[in-house]
Amino acid sequence: MNMKMSCFASRVFKSTSCFFRNTWRATSSSRIGNGLDDACFQGTIQTCCRTSKWEHALNVLADMRHLEVEPDAVCLNTVIDSMLDAEFAGALALYRAQMDGSNVGVATSRKDGMDLHGLTGELARLAVRVKLLDIAIALTSTSTEIWRHPEEHGLQADGSLQLIVGLGQHSRTGESILGPSLLQMLEQELGLRAHFHPQSESVLQIPKHELLQLINFPEGFSNY
């Protein structure tokens, strides 16, 4: 599956828009001597994504790598987020490519759970679905191994999956938005019951007995 996604990502990156690439390269080449800053790339990518030109944004990412400039989390999150509705498979391929590569712009695994800080709501939903799918695959291939070494699969010692969603201190309302959104997705779209950790409202916990249901591959994974 990863190979198919990598091939798709390669095809997406090779798609071109002559006018845009010529314009972009003319602009970038005039600044390369002075050193391109992140703001230049971010501004171009954000403009592309605001106008639904995610294909052009992918070209910018390709040019960044050509210039040996590693895209940061802001650039990657912006592109993936803009692709989710129009080109879901491409967004998934790009996200998985980052997981297998620099790990920039993706959810990070910590001892206390999967850290979703810094991700947009849609990107966090994608990250959680990808994680659950990987757990489902592990359950179908090595159902006992995953429980013998849960930490190797990003799980807690009791076999639960913890999602670090924060308290919403940086949101406009000052309240958590990510937590309730993910809770709704898990319960209504995937049929998995989850709850906030009794000792921290910034952590969403999916118990082991709920994860065991993933062996049946819920309908919510049909696009993955």
Side-chain angles (χ1 to χ4, degrees), residues 1 9 23 41-42 49-51 53-54 79 97 103-104 112 133 139-140 145 147 159 189 192 194 202 215 218 220:
M1 180 167 55
T23 302
F41 292 115
Q42 288 178 14
C49 294
R50 276 198 301 268
T51 55
K53 302 295 184 183
W54 55 265
V79 176
N103 241 3
V104 174
D112 55 345
L133 178 58
L139 284 172
T140 57
E145 185 68 21
W147 305 125
E189 298 178 27
L192 298 175
S202 66
I215 200 169

mmCIF file with all atom_site columns, all heavy atoms in Angstrom, residues 1 9 23 41-42 49-51 53-54 79 97 103-104 112 133 139-140 145 147 159 189 192 194 202 215 218 220:
data_model
loop_
_atom_site.group_PDB
_atom_site.id
_atom_site.type_symbol
_atom_site.label_atom_id
_atom_site.label_alt_id
_atom_site.label_comp_id
_atom_site.label_asym_id
_atom_site.label_entity_id
_atom_site.label_seq_id
_atom_site.pdbx_PDB_ins_code
_atom_site.Cartn_x
_atom_site.Cartn_y
_atom_site.Cartn_z
_atom_site.occupancy
_atom_site.B_iso_or_equiv
_atom_site.pdbx_formal_charge
_atom_site.auth_seq_id
_atom_site.auth_comp_id
_atom_site.auth_asym_id
_atom_site.auth_atom_id
_atom_site.pdbx_PDB_model_num
ATOM 1   N N   . MET A 1 1   ? 0.829   -1.205  0.000   1.00 0.00 ? 1   MET A N   1
ATOM 2   C CA  . MET A 1 1   ? 0.000   0.000   0.000   1.00 0.00 ? 1   MET A CA  1
ATOM 3   C C   . MET A 1 1   ? 0.866   1.257   0.000   1.00 0.00 ? 1   MET A C   1
ATOM 4   O O   . MET A 1 1   ? 0.609   2.209   -0.709  1.00 0.00 ? 1   MET A O   1
ATOM 5   C CB  . MET A 1 1   ? -0.911  -0.003  1.223   1.00 0.00 ? 1   MET A CB  1
ATOM 6   C CG  . MET A 1 1   ? -1.821  1.206   1.310   1.00 0.00 ? 1   MET A CG  1
ATOM 7   S SD  . MET A 1 1   ? -3.123  0.991   2.524   1.00 0.00 ? 1   MET A SD  1
ATOM 8   C CE  . MET A 1 1   ? -2.166  0.599   3.978   1.00 0.00 ? 1   MET A CE  1
ATOM 9   N N   . ALA A 1 9   ? 2.176   9.773   -5.235  1.00 0.00 ? 9   ALA A N   1
ATOM 10  C CA  . ALA A 1 9   ? 2.788   11.039  -4.828  1.00 0.00 ? 9   ALA A CA  1
ATOM 11  C C   . ALA A 1 9   ? 3.782   11.515  -5.884  1.00 0.00 ? 9   ALA A C   1
ATOM 12  O O   . ALA A 1 9   ? 3.854   12.696  -6.205  1.00 0.00 ? 9   ALA A O   1
ATOM 13  C CB  . ALA A 1 9   ? 3.482   10.881  -3.478  1.00 0.00 ? 9   ALA A CB  1
ATOM 14  N N   . THR A 1 23  ? 7.010   31.535  -13.862 1.00 0.00 ? 23  THR A N   1
ATOM 15  C CA  . THR A 1 23  ? 6.877   32.728  -13.027 1.00 0.00 ? 23  THR A CA  1
ATOM 16  C C   . THR A 1 23  ? 7.576   32.535  -11.699 1.00 0.00 ? 23  THR A C   1
ATOM 17  O O   . THR A 1 23  ? 8.331   33.386  -11.225 1.00 0.00 ? 23  THR A O   1
ATOM 18  C CB  . THR A 1 23  ? 5.383   33.054  -12.785 1.00 0.00 ? 23  THR A CB  1
ATOM 19  O OG1 . THR A 1 23  ? 4.760   33.231  -14.044 1.00 0.00 ? 23  THR A OG1 1
ATOM 20  C CG2 . THR A 1 23  ? 5.238   34.311  -11.952 1.00 0.00 ? 23  THR A CG2 1
ATOM 21  N N   . PHE A 1 41  ? 8.373   31.220  0.375   1.00 0.00 ? 41  PHE A N   1
ATOM 22  C CA  . PHE A 1 41  ? 7.722   29.962  0.018   1.00 0.00 ? 41  PHE A CA  1
ATOM 23  C C   . PHE A 1 41  ? 6.322   29.876  0.619   1.00 0.00 ? 41  PHE A C   1
ATOM 24  O O   . PHE A 1 41  ? 5.368   29.498  -0.054  1.00 0.00 ? 41  PHE A O   1
ATOM 25  C CB  . PHE A 1 41  ? 8.560   28.784  0.507   1.00 0.00 ? 41  PHE A CB  1
ATOM 26  C CG  . PHE A 1 41  ? 9.866   28.632  -0.215  1.00 0.00 ? 41  PHE A CG  1
ATOM 27  C CD1 . PHE A 1 41  ? 11.064  28.798  0.459   1.00 0.00 ? 41  PHE A CD1 1
ATOM 28  C CD2 . PHE A 1 41  ? 9.892   28.321  -1.568  1.00 0.00 ? 41  PHE A CD2 1
ATOM 29  C CE1 . PHE A 1 41  ? 12.275  28.654  -0.205  1.00 0.00 ? 41  PHE A CE1 1
ATOM 30  C CE2 . PHE A 1 41  ? 11.096  28.175  -2.243  1.00 0.00 ? 41  PHE A CE2 1
ATOM 31  C CZ  . PHE A 1 41  ? 12.292  28.338  -1.561  1.00 0.00 ? 41  PHE A CZ  1
ATOM 32  N N   . GLN A 1 42  ? 6.208   30.212  1.895   1.00 0.00 ? 42  GLN A N   1
ATOM 33  C CA  . GLN A 1 42  ? 4.919   30.126  2.578   1.00 0.00 ? 42  GLN A CA  1
ATOM 34  C C   . GLN A 1 42  ? 3.884   31.014  1.909   1.00 0.00 ? 42  GLN A C   1
ATOM 35  O O   . GLN A 1 42  ? 2.735   30.610  1.698   1.00 0.00 ? 42  GLN A O   1
ATOM 36  C CB  . GLN A 1 42  ? 5.066   30.508  4.049   1.00 0.00 ? 42  GLN A CB  1
ATOM 37  C CG  . GLN A 1 42  ? 5.793   29.475  4.889   1.00 0.00 ? 42  GLN A CG  1
ATOM 38  C CD  . GLN A 1 42  ? 5.948   29.923  6.328   1.00 0.00 ? 42  GLN A CD  1
ATOM 39  O OE1 . GLN A 1 42  ? 5.309   30.873  6.768   1.00 0.00 ? 42  GLN A OE1 1
ATOM 40  N NE2 . GLN A 1 42  ? 6.802   29.247  7.076   1.00 0.00 ? 42  GLN A NE2 1
ATOM 41  N N   . CYS A 1 49  ? -3.069  27.895  -2.418  1.00 0.00 ? 49  CYS A N   1
ATOM 42  C CA  . CYS A 1 49  ? -4.099  27.115  -1.729  1.00 0.00 ? 49  CYS A CA  1
ATOM 43  C C   . CYS A 1 49  ? -5.374  27.920  -1.497  1.00 0.00 ? 49  CYS A C   1
ATOM 44  O O   . CYS A 1 49  ? -6.482  27.370  -1.560  1.00 0.00 ? 49  CYS A O   1
ATOM 45  C CB  . CYS A 1 49  ? -3.552  26.587  -0.409  1.00 0.00 ? 49  CYS A CB  1
ATOM 46  S SG  . CYS A 1 49  ? -2.223  25.367  -0.629  1.00 0.00 ? 49  CYS A SG  1
ATOM 47  N N   . ARG A 1 50  ? -5.244  29.222  -1.268  1.00 0.00 ? 50  ARG A N   1
ATOM 48  C CA  . ARG A 1 50  ? -6.428  30.057  -1.084  1.00 0.00 ? 50  ARG A CA  1
ATOM 49  C C   . ARG A 1 50  ? -7.268  30.125  -2.348  1.00 0.00 ? 50  ARG A C   1
ATOM 50  O O   . ARG A 1 50  ? -8.483  30.295  -2.292  1.00 0.00 ? 50  ARG A O   1
ATOM 51  C CB  . ARG A 1 50  ? -6.023  31.470  -0.644  1.00 0.00 ? 50  ARG A CB  1
ATOM 52  C CG  . ARG A 1 50  ? -5.799  31.626  0.842   1.00 0.00 ? 50  ARG A CG  1
ATOM 53  C CD  . ARG A 1 50  ? -5.852  33.094  1.246   1.00 0.00 ? 50  ARG A CD  1
ATOM 54  N NE  . ARG A 1 50  ? -4.856  33.890  0.551   1.00 0.00 ? 50  ARG A NE  1
ATOM 55  C CZ  . ARG A 1 50  ? -3.639  34.132  1.003   1.00 0.00 ? 50  ARG A CZ  1
ATOM 56  N NH1 . ARG A 1 50  ? -3.266  33.631  2.168   1.00 0.00 ? 50  ARG A NH1 1
ATOM 57  N NH2 . ARG A 1 50  ? -2.799  34.879  0.306   1.00 0.00 ? 50  ARG A NH2 1
ATOM 58  N N   . THR A 1 51  ? -6.607  29.985  -3.487  1.00 0.00 ? 51  THR A N   1
ATOM 59  C CA  . THR A 1 51  ? -7.313  30.037  -4.772  1.00 0.00 ? 51  THR A CA  1
ATOM 60  C C   . THR A 1 51  ? -7.544  28.640  -5.350  1.00 0.00 ? 51  THR A C   1
ATOM 61  O O   . THR A 1 51  ? -7.811  28.483  -6.538  1.00 0.00 ? 51  THR A O   1
ATOM 62  C CB  . THR A 1 51  ? -6.517  30.881  -5.781  1.00 0.00 ? 51  THR A CB  1
ATOM 63  O OG1 . THR A 1 51  ? -5.181  30.357  -5.896  1.00 0.00 ? 51  THR A OG1 1
ATOM 64  C CG2 . THR A 1 51  ? -6.439  32.325  -5.331  1.00 0.00 ? 51  THR A CG2 1
ATOM 65  N N   . LYS A 1 53  ? -5.532  26.292  -6.013  1.00 0.00 ? 53  LYS A N   1
ATOM 66  C CA  . LYS A 1 53  ? -4.537  25.856  -6.987  1.00 0.00 ? 53  LYS A CA  1
ATOM 67  C C   . LYS A 1 53  ? -3.512  24.967  -6.280  1.00 0.00 ? 53  LYS A C   1
ATOM 68  O O   . LYS A 1 53  ? -2.312  25.244  -6.265  1.00 0.00 ? 53  LYS A O   1
ATOM 69  C CB  . LYS A 1 53  ? -3.840  27.059  -7.638  1.00 0.00 ? 53  LYS A CB  1
ATOM 70  C CG  . LYS A 1 53  ? -4.778  28.026  -8.340  1.00 0.00 ? 53  LYS A CG  1
ATOM 71  C CD  . LYS A 1 53  ? -5.470  27.374  -9.526  1.00 0.00 ? 53  LYS A CD  1
ATOM 72  C CE  . LYS A 1 53  ? -6.333  28.380  -10.274 1.00 0.00 ? 53  LYS A CE  1
ATOM 73  N NZ  . LYS A 1 53  ? -7.075  27.747  -11.397 1.00 0.00 ? 53  LYS A NZ  1
ATOM 74  N N   . TRP A 1 54  ? -4.006  23.871  -5.692  1.00 0.00 ? 54  TRP A N   1
ATOM 75  C CA  . TRP A 1 54  ? -3.091  23.013  -4.928  1.00 0.00 ? 54  TRP A CA  1
ATOM 76  C C   . TRP A 1 54  ? -2.051  22.332  -5.823  1.00 0.00 ? 54  TRP A C   1
ATOM 77  O O   . TRP A 1 54  ? -0.966  21.982  -5.373  1.00 0.00 ? 54  TRP A O   1
ATOM 78  C CB  . TRP A 1 54  ? -3.867  21.978  -4.130  1.00 0.00 ? 54  TRP A CB  1
ATOM 79  C CG  . TRP A 1 54  ? -4.806  21.124  -4.926  1.00 0.00 ? 54  TRP A CG  1
ATOM 80  C CD1 . TRP A 1 54  ? -6.135  21.322  -5.125  1.00 0.00 ? 54  TRP A CD1 1
ATOM 81  C CD2 . TRP A 1 54  ? -4.469  19.930  -5.644  1.00 0.00 ? 54  TRP A CD2 1
ATOM 82  N NE1 . TRP A 1 54  ? -6.655  20.326  -5.910  1.00 0.00 ? 54  TRP A NE1 1
ATOM 83  C CE2 . TRP A 1 54  ? -5.656  19.447  -6.251  1.00 0.00 ? 54  TRP A CE2 1
ATOM 84  C CE3 . TRP A 1 54  ? -3.279  19.205  -5.816  1.00 0.00 ? 54  TRP A CE3 1
ATOM 85  C CZ2 . TRP A 1 54  ? -5.688  18.302  -7.021  1.00 0.00 ? 54  TRP A CZ2 1
ATOM 86  C CZ3 . TRP A 1 54  ? -3.318  18.048  -6.597  1.00 0.00 ? 54  TRP A CZ3 1
ATOM 87  C CH2 . TRP A 1 54  ? -4.506  17.611  -7.191  1.00 0.00 ? 54  TRP A CH2 1
ATOM 88  N N   . VAL A 1 79  ? -0.715  22.802  2.276   1.00 0.00 ? 79  VAL A N   1
ATOM 89  C CA  . VAL A 1 79  ? -0.960  22.060  1.043   1.00 0.00 ? 79  VAL A CA  1
ATOM 90  C C   . VAL A 1 79  ? -1.876  20.862  1.289   1.00 0.00 ? 79  VAL A C   1
ATOM 91  O O   . VAL A 1 79  ? -2.863  20.660  0.574   1.00 0.00 ? 79  VAL A O   1
ATOM 92  C CB  . VAL A 1 79  ? 0.364   21.586  0.411   1.00 0.00 ? 79  VAL A CB  1
ATOM 93  C CG1 . VAL A 1 79  ? 0.087   20.736  -0.832  1.00 0.00 ? 79  VAL A CG1 1
ATOM 94  C CG2 . VAL A 1 79  ? 1.233   22.777  0.034   1.00 0.00 ? 79  VAL A CG2 1
ATOM 95  N N   . ALA A 1 97  ? 4.064   10.218  2.908   1.00 0.00 ? 97  ALA A N   1
ATOM 96  C CA  . ALA A 1 97  ? 5.438   10.462  2.471   1.00 0.00 ? 97  ALA A CA  1
ATOM 97  C C   . ALA A 1 97  ? 6.205   11.222  3.542   1.00 0.00 ? 97  ALA A C   1
ATOM 98  O O   . ALA A 1 97  ? 7.392   10.955  3.783   1.00 0.00 ? 97  ALA A O   1
ATOM 99  C CB  . ALA A 1 97  ? 5.441   11.238  1.157   1.00 0.00 ? 97  ALA A CB  1
ATOM 100 N N   . ASN A 1 103 ? 9.236   13.647  8.680   1.00 0.00 ? 103 ASN A N   1
ATOM 101 C CA  . ASN A 1 103 ? 8.295   13.706  9.802   1.00 0.00 ? 103 ASN A CA  1
ATOM 102 C C   . ASN A 1 103 ? 7.848   15.121  10.126  1.00 0.00 ? 103 ASN A C   1
ATOM 103 O O   . ASN A 1 103 ? 7.249   15.363  11.170  1.00 0.00 ? 103 ASN A O   1
ATOM 104 C CB  . ASN A 1 103 ? 8.900   13.083  11.066  1.00 0.00 ? 103 ASN A CB  1
ATOM 105 C CG  . ASN A 1 103 ? 8.099   11.882  11.554  1.00 0.00 ? 103 ASN A CG  1
ATOM 106 O OD1 . ASN A 1 103 ? 7.129   11.478  10.914  1.00 0.00 ? 103 ASN A OD1 1
ATOM 107 N ND2 . ASN A 1 103 ? 8.492   11.320  12.672  1.00 0.00 ? 103 ASN A ND2 1
ATOM 108 N N   . VAL A 1 104 ? 8.137   16.068  9.230   1.00 0.00 ? 104 VAL A N   1
ATOM 109 C CA  . VAL A 1 104 ? 7.716   17.446  9.428   1.00 0.00 ? 104 VAL A CA  1
ATOM 110 C C   . VAL A 1 104 ? 6.256   17.587  9.029   1.00 0.00 ? 104 VAL A C   1
ATOM 111 O O   . VAL A 1 104 ? 5.825   17.066  8.008   1.00 0.00 ? 104 VAL A O   1
ATOM 112 C CB  . VAL A 1 104 ? 8.579   18.412  8.594   1.00 0.00 ? 104 VAL A CB  1
ATOM 113 C CG1 . VAL A 1 104 ? 8.053   19.833  8.691   1.00 0.00 ? 104 VAL A CG1 1
ATOM 114 C CG2 . VAL A 1 104 ? 10.031  18.356  9.046   1.00 0.00 ? 104 VAL A CG2 1
ATOM 115 N N   . ASP A 1 112 ? 3.545   9.686   26.014  1.00 0.00 ? 112 ASP A N   1
ATOM 116 C CA  . ASP A 1 112 ? 2.214   9.853   26.590  1.00 0.00 ? 112 ASP A CA  1
ATOM 117 C C   . ASP A 1 112 ? 1.117   9.919   25.535  1.00 0.00 ? 112 ASP A C   1
ATOM 118 O O   . ASP A 1 112 ? -0.042  10.167  25.853  1.00 0.00 ? 112 ASP A O   1
ATOM 119 C CB  . ASP A 1 112 ? 2.154   11.090  27.480  1.00 0.00 ? 112 ASP A CB  1
ATOM 120 C CG  . ASP A 1 112 ? 2.595   12.354  26.746  1.00 0.00 ? 112 ASP A CG  1
ATOM 121 O OD1 . ASP A 1 112 ? 3.200   12.232  25.678  1.00 0.00 ? 112 ASP A OD1 1
ATOM 122 O OD2 . ASP A 1 112 ? 2.332   13.454  27.252  1.00 0.00 ? 112 ASP A OD2 1
ATOM 123 N N   . LEU A 1 133 ? -5.786  3.176   11.026  1.00 0.00 ? 133 LEU A N   1
ATOM 124 C CA  . LEU A 1 133 ? -5.649  2.206   9.944   1.00 0.00 ? 133 LEU A CA  1
ATOM 125 C C   . LEU A 1 133 ? -4.389  1.361   10.134  1.00 0.00 ? 133 LEU A C   1
ATOM 126 O O   . LEU A 1 133 ? -4.407  0.140   9.934   1.00 0.00 ? 133 LEU A O   1
ATOM 127 C CB  . LEU A 1 133 ? -5.607  2.913   8.590   1.00 0.00 ? 133 LEU A CB  1
ATOM 128 C CG  . LEU A 1 133 ? -5.408  2.003   7.373   1.00 0.00 ? 133 LEU A CG  1
ATOM 129 C CD1 . LEU A 1 133 ? -6.508  0.956   7.290   1.00 0.00 ? 133 LEU A CD1 1
ATOM 130 C CD2 . LEU A 1 133 ? -5.347  2.815   6.096   1.00 0.00 ? 133 LEU A CD2 1
ATOM 131 N N   . LEU A 1 139 ? -3.249  -5.371  13.596  1.00 0.00 ? 139 LEU A N   1
ATOM 132 C CA  . LEU A 1 139 ? -4.128  -6.355  14.243  1.00 0.00 ? 139 LEU A CA  1
ATOM 133 C C   . LEU A 1 139 ? -4.402  -7.539  13.326  1.00 0.00 ? 139 LEU A C   1
ATOM 134 O O   . LEU A 1 139 ? -4.502  -8.687  13.790  1.00 0.00 ? 139 LEU A O   1
ATOM 135 C CB  . LEU A 1 139 ? -5.454  -5.692  14.634  1.00 0.00 ? 139 LEU A CB  1
ATOM 136 C CG  . LEU A 1 139 ? -5.431  -4.787  15.857  1.00 0.00 ? 139 LEU A CG  1
ATOM 137 C CD1 . LEU A 1 139 ? -6.760  -4.066  16.005  1.00 0.00 ? 139 LEU A CD1 1
ATOM 138 C CD2 . LEU A 1 139 ? -5.123  -5.600  17.114  1.00 0.00 ? 139 LEU A CD2 1
ATOM 139 N N   . THR A 1 140 ? -4.540  -7.291  12.046  1.00 0.00 ? 140 THR A N   1
ATOM 140 C CA  . THR A 1 140 ? -4.854  -8.366  11.115  1.00 0.00 ? 140 THR A CA  1
ATOM 141 C C   . THR A 1 140 ? -3.635  -9.223  10.776  1.00 0.00 ? 140 THR A C   1
ATOM 142 O O   . THR A 1 140 ? -3.769  -10.386 10.409  1.00 0.00 ? 140 THR A O   1
ATOM 143 C CB  . THR A 1 140 ? -5.433  -7.819  9.802   1.00 0.00 ? 140 THR A CB  1
ATOM 144 O OG1 . THR A 1 140 ? -4.505  -6.892  9.229   1.00 0.00 ? 140 THR A OG1 1
ATOM 145 C CG2 . THR A 1 140 ? -6.754  -7.106  10.064  1.00 0.00 ? 140 THR A CG2 1
ATOM 146 N N   . GLU A 1 145 ? 1.223   -9.713  18.635  1.00 0.00 ? 145 GLU A N   1
ATOM 147 C CA  . GLU A 1 145 ? 2.464   -8.952  18.753  1.00 0.00 ? 145 GLU A CA  1
ATOM 148 C C   . GLU A 1 145 ? 2.212   -7.514  19.192  1.00 0.00 ? 145 GLU A C   1
ATOM 149 O O   . GLU A 1 145 ? 2.964   -6.954  19.995  1.00 0.00 ? 145 GLU A O   1
ATOM 150 C CB  . GLU A 1 145 ? 3.203   -8.962  17.412  1.00 0.00 ? 145 GLU A CB  1
ATOM 151 C CG  . GLU A 1 145 ? 4.572   -8.289  17.442  1.00 0.00 ? 145 GLU A CG  1
ATOM 152 C CD  . GLU A 1 145 ? 5.590   -9.042  18.279  1.00 0.00 ? 145 GLU A CD  1
ATOM 153 O OE1 . GLU A 1 145 ? 5.393   -10.256 18.501  1.00 0.00 ? 145 GLU A OE1 1
ATOM 154 O OE2 . GLU A 1 145 ? 6.569   -8.416  18.710  1.00 0.00 ? 145 GLU A OE2 1
ATOM 155 N N   . TRP A 1 147 ? 0.064   -6.336  21.148  1.00 0.00 ? 147 TRP A N   1
ATOM 156 C CA  . TRP A 1 147 ? -0.227  -6.193  22.575  1.00 0.00 ? 147 TRP A CA  1
ATOM 157 C C   . TRP A 1 147 ? 0.980   -6.555  23.440  1.00 0.00 ? 147 TRP A C   1
ATOM 158 O O   . TRP A 1 147 ? 1.066   -6.131  24.586  1.00 0.00 ? 147 TRP A O   1
ATOM 159 C CB  . TRP A 1 147 ? -1.427  -7.054  22.960  1.00 0.00 ? 147 TRP A CB  1
ATOM 160 C CG  . TRP A 1 147 ? -2.640  -6.772  22.119  1.00 0.00 ? 147 TRP A CG  1
ATOM 161 C CD1 . TRP A 1 147 ? -3.367  -7.662  21.402  1.00 0.00 ? 147 TRP A CD1 1
ATOM 162 C CD2 . TRP A 1 147 ? -3.263  -5.497  21.892  1.00 0.00 ? 147 TRP A CD2 1
ATOM 163 N NE1 . TRP A 1 147 ? -4.396  -7.042  20.740  1.00 0.00 ? 147 TRP A NE1 1
ATOM 164 C CE2 . TRP A 1 147 ? -4.360  -5.713  21.023  1.00 0.00 ? 147 TRP A CE2 1
ATOM 165 C CE3 . TRP A 1 147 ? -2.998  -4.202  22.333  1.00 0.00 ? 147 TRP A CE3 1
ATOM 166 C CZ2 . TRP A 1 147 ? -5.188  -4.681  20.586  1.00 0.00 ? 147 TRP A CZ2 1
ATOM 167 C CZ3 . TRP A 1 147 ? -3.824  -3.173  21.890  1.00 0.00 ? 147 TRP A CZ3 1
ATOM 168 C CH2 . TRP A 1 147 ? -4.895  -3.410  21.036  1.00 0.00 ? 147 TRP A CH2 1
ATOM 169 N N   . GLY A 1 159 ? -2.602  -0.771  26.338  1.00 0.00 ? 159 GLY A N   1
ATOM 170 C CA  . GLY A 1 159 ? -3.118  -1.020  25.000  1.00 0.00 ? 159 GLY A CA  1
ATOM 171 C C   . GLY A 1 159 ? -3.997  0.081   24.442  1.00 0.00 ? 159 GLY A C   1
ATOM 172 O O   . GLY A 1 159 ? -4.516  -0.040  23.326  1.00 0.00 ? 159 GLY A O   1
ATOM 173 N N   . GLU A 1 189 ? -18.488 8.545   13.016  1.00 0.00 ? 189 GLU A N   1
ATOM 174 C CA  . GLU A 1 189 ? -18.030 8.083   11.710  1.00 0.00 ? 189 GLU A CA  1
ATOM 175 C C   . GLU A 1 189 ? -17.352 6.723   11.757  1.00 0.00 ? 189 GLU A C   1
ATOM 176 O O   . GLU A 1 189 ? -17.421 5.956   10.795  1.00 0.00 ? 189 GLU A O   1
ATOM 177 C CB  . GLU A 1 189 ? -17.086 9.118   11.104  1.00 0.00 ? 189 GLU A CB  1
ATOM 178 C CG  . GLU A 1 189 ? -17.724 10.485  10.859  1.00 0.00 ? 189 GLU A CG  1
ATOM 179 C CD  . GLU A 1 189 ? -16.745 11.493  10.293  1.00 0.00 ? 189 GLU A CD  1
ATOM 180 O OE1 . GLU A 1 189 ? -15.779 11.071  9.620   1.00 0.00 ? 189 GLU A OE1 1
ATOM 181 O OE2 . GLU A 1 189 ? -16.933 12.703  10.523  1.00 0.00 ? 189 GLU A OE2 1
ATOM 182 N N   . LEU A 1 192 ? -16.277 4.183   17.209  1.00 0.00 ? 192 LEU A N   1
ATOM 183 C CA  . LEU A 1 192 ? -15.358 3.899   18.310  1.00 0.00 ? 192 LEU A CA  1
ATOM 184 C C   . LEU A 1 192 ? -15.654 4.831   19.480  1.00 0.00 ? 192 LEU A C   1
ATOM 185 O O   . LEU A 1 192 ? -15.753 6.038   19.309  1.00 0.00 ? 192 LEU A O   1
ATOM 186 C CB  . LEU A 1 192 ? -13.902 4.101   17.863  1.00 0.00 ? 192 LEU A CB  1
ATOM 187 C CG  . LEU A 1 192 ? -13.392 3.197   16.740  1.00 0.00 ? 192 LEU A CG  1
ATOM 188 C CD1 . LEU A 1 192 ? -11.977 3.613   16.355  1.00 0.00 ? 192 LEU A CD1 1
ATOM 189 C CD2 . LEU A 1 192 ? -13.410 1.736   17.161  1.00 0.00 ? 192 LEU A CD2 1
ATOM 190 N N   . ALA A 1 194 ? -14.652 6.797   22.748  1.00 0.00 ? 194 ALA A N   1
ATOM 191 C CA  . ALA A 1 194 ? -13.451 7.374   23.355  1.00 0.00 ? 194 ALA A CA  1
ATOM 192 C C   . ALA A 1 194 ? -13.889 8.308   24.469  1.00 0.00 ? 194 ALA A C   1
ATOM 193 O O   . ALA A 1 194 ? -15.064 8.646   24.590  1.00 0.00 ? 194 ALA A O   1
ATOM 194 C CB  . ALA A 1 194 ? -12.633 8.122   22.306  1.00 0.00 ? 194 ALA A CB  1
ATOM 195 N N   . SER A 1 202 ? -6.822  17.438  28.251  1.00 0.00 ? 202 SER A N   1
ATOM 196 C CA  . SER A 1 202 ? -6.101  17.701  27.010  1.00 0.00 ? 202 SER A CA  1
ATOM 197 C C   . SER A 1 202 ? -5.766  16.404  26.270  1.00 0.00 ? 202 SER A C   1
ATOM 198 O O   . SER A 1 202 ? -5.156  16.435  25.211  1.00 0.00 ? 202 SER A O   1
ATOM 199 C CB  . SER A 1 202 ? -4.804  18.465  27.297  1.00 0.00 ? 202 SER A CB  1
ATOM 200 O OG  . SER A 1 202 ? -3.899  17.655  28.034  1.00 0.00 ? 202 SER A OG  1
ATOM 201 N N   . ILE A 1 215 ? -10.183 -4.509  13.751  1.00 0.00 ? 215 ILE A N   1
ATOM 202 C CA  . ILE A 1 215 ? -9.862  -5.695  12.964  1.00 0.00 ? 215 ILE A CA  1
ATOM 203 C C   . ILE A 1 215 ? -10.919 -5.939  11.887  1.00 0.00 ? 215 ILE A C   1
ATOM 204 O O   . ILE A 1 215 ? -10.688 -6.606  10.885  1.00 0.00 ? 215 ILE A O   1
ATOM 205 C CB  . ILE A 1 215 ? -9.716  -6.938  13.872  1.00 0.00 ? 215 ILE A CB  1
ATOM 206 C CG1 . ILE A 1 215 ? -8.928  -8.025  13.141  1.00 0.00 ? 215 ILE A CG1 1
ATOM 207 C CG2 . ILE A 1 215 ? -11.066 -7.423  14.347  1.00 0.00 ? 215 ILE A CG2 1
ATOM 208 C CD1 . ILE A 1 215 ? -8.501  -9.160  14.037  1.00 0.00 ? 215 ILE A CD1 1
ATOM 209 N N   . PRO A 1 218 ? -13.667 -0.680  9.848   1.00 0.00 ? 218 PRO A N   1
ATOM 210 C CA  . PRO A 1 218 ? -14.912 0.094   9.758   1.00 0.00 ? 218 PRO A CA  1
ATOM 211 C C   . PRO A 1 218 ? -15.057 0.766   8.403   1.00 0.00 ? 218 PRO A C   1
ATOM 212 O O   . PRO A 1 218 ? -14.085 0.998   7.694   1.00 0.00 ? 218 PRO A O   1
ATOM 213 C CB  . PRO A 1 218 ? -14.756 1.157   10.876  1.00 0.00 ? 218 PRO A CB  1
ATOM 214 C CG  . PRO A 1 218 ? -13.727 0.593   11.785  1.00 0.00 ? 218 PRO A CG  1
ATOM 215 C CD  . PRO A 1 218 ? -12.811 -0.216  10.926  1.00 0.00 ? 218 PRO A CD  1
ATOM 216 N N   . GLY A 1 220 ? -15.490 3.696   7.756   1.00 0.00 ? 220 GLY A N   1
ATOM 217 C CA  . GLY A 1 220 ? -14.808 4.983   7.696   1.00 0.00 ? 220 GLY A CA  1
ATOM 218 C C   . GLY A 1 220 ? -13.434 4.918   7.061   1.00 0.00 ? 220 GLY A C   1
ATOM 219 O O   . GLY A 1 220 ? -12.839 5.935   6.740   1.00 0.00 ? 220 GLY A O   1
#
